[in-house]
């Protein structure tokens, strides 16, 4: 089954807690969520069930782990946002961003470096 990277804010918060502590016993996760967010056991398990249903987390014998790294999920969510908001166009994203604020010389250099690295990569073209 394909993972669903559309996470709610609460699911993202719980995923962050798992990443920081994995592998983590499910009851320890309940304690951590209570301490960190003030969540009840049922709230924690509700959000955990959603992460499992979305195939981004697993709970195997009460041991909770993430199935993807933070970077993998962030990359997928970023791509989904660009697709939905800008029709998949990175130039439109940059144009939208720069219409409301000016890029620093450092940011411009970083963008140029990313483009140069992309053009030189074996996956390009």
């Amino acid at each position: 089954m394909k993972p669903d990277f559309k996470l709610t804010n609460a699911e993202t918060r719980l995923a962050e807690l798992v990443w920081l502590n994995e592998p983590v016993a499910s009851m320890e996760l309940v304690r951590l969520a209570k301490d960190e967010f003030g969540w009840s056991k049922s709230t924690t398990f509700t959000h955990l069930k959603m992460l499992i249903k979305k195939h981004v987390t697993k709970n195997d014998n009460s041991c909770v782990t993430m199935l993807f790294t933070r970077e993998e999920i962030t990359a997928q969510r970023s791509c989904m946002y660009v697709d939905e908001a800008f029709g998949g166009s990175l130039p439109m994203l940059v144009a939208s961003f720069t219409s409301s604020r000016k890029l620093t010389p450092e940011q411009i250099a970083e963008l140029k470096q990313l483009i140069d690295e992309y053009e030189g990569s074996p996956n390009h073209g």
Side-chain angles (χ1 to χ4, degrees), residues 55-103:
H55 304 283
V56 297
T57 305
K58 73 175 180 176
N59 186 354
D60 189 23
N61 292 322
S62 298
C63 182
V64 180
T65 55
M66 296 298 294
L67 296 173
F68 299 90
T69 66
R70 180 183 290 106
E71 293 76 17
E72 289 170 325
I73 290 180
T74 299
Q76 287 298 320
R77 291 174 77 184
S78 297
C79 288
M80 288 171 18
Y81 176 74
V82 171
D83 286 346
E84 291 170 7
F86 301 98
S89 171
L90 287 174
M92 284 181 63
L93 168 69
V94 173
S96 173
F97 181 84
T98 57
S99 70
S100 61
R101 61 186 75 117
K102 187 176 179 179
L103 291 175

Side-chain angles (χ1 to χ4, degrees), residues 10 19 25 33 35-36 40 48-49 99 101 106 111 114-116 118 124:
W19 277 313
D35 292 348
E36 190 75 22
S40 68
L48 180 59
K49 285 177 189 173
S99 70
R101 61 186 75 117
E106 293 82 15
L111 285 170
L114 286 170
I115 292 167
D116 290 345
Y118 175 76
H124 175 254

Side-chain angles (χ1 to χ4, degrees), residues 26-37:
S26 57
M27 290 310 294
E28 175 66 7
L29 185 59
V30 167
R31 187 192 65 73
L32 291 167
K34 180 178 176 58
D35 292 348
E36 190 75 22
F37 313 130

